[in-house]
Amino acid sequence: MKFTDIHGHEELKRRLAAAVDEGRVSHAQLFTGESGTGALPLALAYAQYVNCEARAEGDSCGECASCRKMAELAHPDLHFVFPVNSATKSGSQKPSSDAFLTQWRALWAETDGIFDEAAWYSTIDIENRQGLITRGEADEVIRKLAFKSFEARYKVVIVWLPEKMRAEAANALLKILEEPWERTLFLLVSAAPEQLLPTIVSRTQHIAVSGVEAEAVERYLLTHFGMTCGGEAQGLGLTQEEAADIARIAGGDLIEARRLAAAAGDEDVQHDFELFAALMRLSYNDRHMELIEWAEGVAAMGREQQKRFLRYAVRMLRENYMLNAGMENITALHGAELDFSRKFSPYIGNHNIEPLVAEMELALLQITRNGNPKMIFTHFALVVSKLIVKV
């Protein structure tokens, strides 16, 4: 992975490359930032640059043997450590990172290295257990580093989420950080550095990875979910305006941007929006007979669909409340939701936000307890219609 493959962070990439060019390669570096900022692929791009055989103009060549192996996550001098738990997929009795390298490479290829802890746990099927980095993992790293490098300038260990290290593992690695072997490079990538041992933090060079710039997020969305120049749909066919809205809402988090882009094309989300918009239009126009028909339609849906709609409705109410309060810049509204809410938000204010949310949460509770959906949604729709007034 080259620096040019990293979304945004142009100034940080220049500083990292310049440090290597000037021979200032600290043996232990701590990259900190939320997973959606791309801190993990940035660490790999840095490792590739350090070991590139023909780097030029502030980037690795991407063509030499070292670069090709790094890009494939298969370089013999590149080692990964990450939290695992169950070893059921590997057939091993003891959980270790090496046992899950196949899944790690597959997830990386699918996401360009931009994934979070939840996505990783889902990939290795341990959503209901905590991922850990054990003392055995630390001992294995020490064993690997005791050998000479196979072909690279530096032996590189990338530790993802080091805050998941057990105390004994952290203490074992601390000894290496205090007295490192020559030409050994530790790159720790943390989403919660405050959970690390202070002694580890004090022995690393800190590299803060902030949110991705909005322009870079927008380019990322258009590349992966936008329209081609010829106008044919690519991915979800986002327009530039939609991509700009999502980039604003995502706040520099590429994972959140992906989620929002996927939601924009999700039929379930579209259906929930149409139900919400219909409920509110009928309510502020006092169309009571049509509200009863609306309630019968919702009552005919499955319970999980009903619960999903009510949760969506609560979110839309809160977003409209913020919009009415003049806080559009921090709302998570875009596209058709934003267009509708700009007209509807004056109906949601201090006078009714709390009773509206309470009514929706009550309906959600009643549905969860297997109440009669026709009675629940008829009563619900008529109460909502009384609360939707513009002041």
Side-chain angles (χ1 to χ4, degrees), residues 318-387:
R318 288 170 175 160
E319 297 293 341
N320 274 267
Y321 178 72
M322 289 192 292
L323 189 62
N324 189 24
M327 296 184 285
E328 179 176 336
N329 61 320
I330 63 170
T331 62
L333 296 166
H334 62 93
E337 288 182 344
L338 182 58
D339 291 340
F340 170 80
S341 296
R342 281 176 173 154
K343 299 174 183 177
F344 172 68
S345 60
Y347 290 84
I348 305 298
N350 291 332
H351 63 291
N352 63 358
I353 181 63
E354 290 186 5
L356 277 168
V357 169
E359 193 63 34
M360 291 184 177
E361 290 178 342
L362 175 61
L364 179 60
L365 177 64
Q366 292 169 334
I367 290 296
T368 302
R369 293 179 175 177
N370 295 321
N372 184 307
K374 187 172 181 179
M375 293 178 61
I376 292 169
F377 281 104
T378 299
H379 174 79
F380 166 78
L382 294 175
V383 171
V384 168
S385 70
K386 293 180 181 179
L387 294 171

Side-chain angles (χ1 to χ4, degrees), residues 22-231:
E22 295 166 7
R24 295 183 289 107
V25 179
S26 175
H27 76 279
Q29 302 182 38
L30 175 61
F31 289 71
T32 62
E34 296 295 329
S35 297
T37 65
L40 179 58
L42 183 61
L44 178 65
Y46 176 77
Q48 181 168 313
Y49 187 74
V50 167
N51 282 320
C52 177
E53 299 166 9
R55 56 181 180 246
E57 298 182 357
D59 209 347
S60 52
C61 68
E63 300 295 332
C64 68
S66 176
C67 283
R68 290 198 301 270
K69 292 174 184 177
M70 284 279 183
E72 294 171 359
L73 311 186
H75 198 292
D77 294 311
L78 173 66
H79 308 286
F80 288 100
V81 176
F82 38 76
V84 294
N85 192 308
S86 169
T88 53
K89 289 191 177 182
S90 68
S92 171
Q93 295 301 312
K94 293 183 179 180
S96 69
S97 299
D98 285 352
F100 291 91
L101 279 176
T102 299
Q103 294 95 322
W104 178 261
R105 290 170 180 144
L107 182 59
W108 193 296
E110 181 184 340
T111 62
D112 293 329
I114 304 168
F115 55 86
D116 58 14
E117 189 177 355
W120 171 238
Y121 291 170
S122 177
T123 298
I124 61 174
D125 195 23
I126 65 165
E127 294 100 320
N128 297 324
R129 281 161 286 181
Q130 173 135 14
L132 300 168
I133 298 173
T134 65
R135 171 61 189 265
E137 188 88 72
D139 291 341
E140 180 63 13
V141 168
I142 294 170
R143 187 190 68 81
K144 290 175 181 176
L145 296 181
F147 298 103
K148 291 183 179 180
S149 62
F150 286 87
E151 55 192 63
R153 289 187 180 94
Y154 284 84
K155 291 173 288 185
V156 180
V157 180
I158 296 180
V159 183
W160 183 57
L161 303 183
E163 55 269 25
K164 297 299 178 181
M165 287 191 290
R166 286 180 167 173
E168 56 270 26
N171 287 322
L173 288 181
L174 181 60
K175 295 178 182 178
I176 307 178
L177 298 182
E178 291 174 335
E179 300 177 4
W181 283 296
E182 187 179 1
R183 299 283 180 176
T184 298
L185 178 59
F186 273 91
L187 303 178
L188 282 62
V189 183
S190 173
E194 68 280 0
Q195 296 178 17
L196 290 169
L197 289 178
T199 46
I200 286 183
V201 176
S202 66
R203 285 161 177 78
T204 59
Q205 178 182 331
H206 187 195
I207 299 166
V209 184
S210 57
V212 180
E213 299 85 350
E215 297 81 2
V217 177
E218 184 178 336
R219 288 194 300 271
Y220 171 80
L221 289 169
L222 290 172
T223 299
H224 290 79
F225 306 105
M227 303 288 289
T228 63
C229 294

Side-chain angles (χ1 to χ4, degrees), residues 275-329:
L275 283 176
F276 179 83
L279 172 64
M280 297 309 163
R281 289 190 181 107
L282 293 173
S283 294
Y284 60 66
N285 285 314
D286 290 326
R287 307 288 288 271
H288 293 157
M289 294 304 298
E290 292 176 56
L291 276 170
I292 293 174
E293 292 178 8
W294 177 93
E296 291 174 348
V298 177
M301 300 186 331
R303 288 189 183 273
E304 290 305 313
Q305 292 174 295
Q306 293 165 353
K307 290 191 286 186
R308 188 194 65 229
F309 164 70
L310 288 167
R311 294 188 187 101
Y312 174 85
V314 170
R315 181 183 75 79
M316 283 293 289
L317 283 176
R318 288 170 175 160
E319 297 293 341
N320 274 267
Y321 178 72
M322 289 192 292
L323 189 62
N324 189 24
M327 296 184 285
E328 179 176 336
N329 61 320

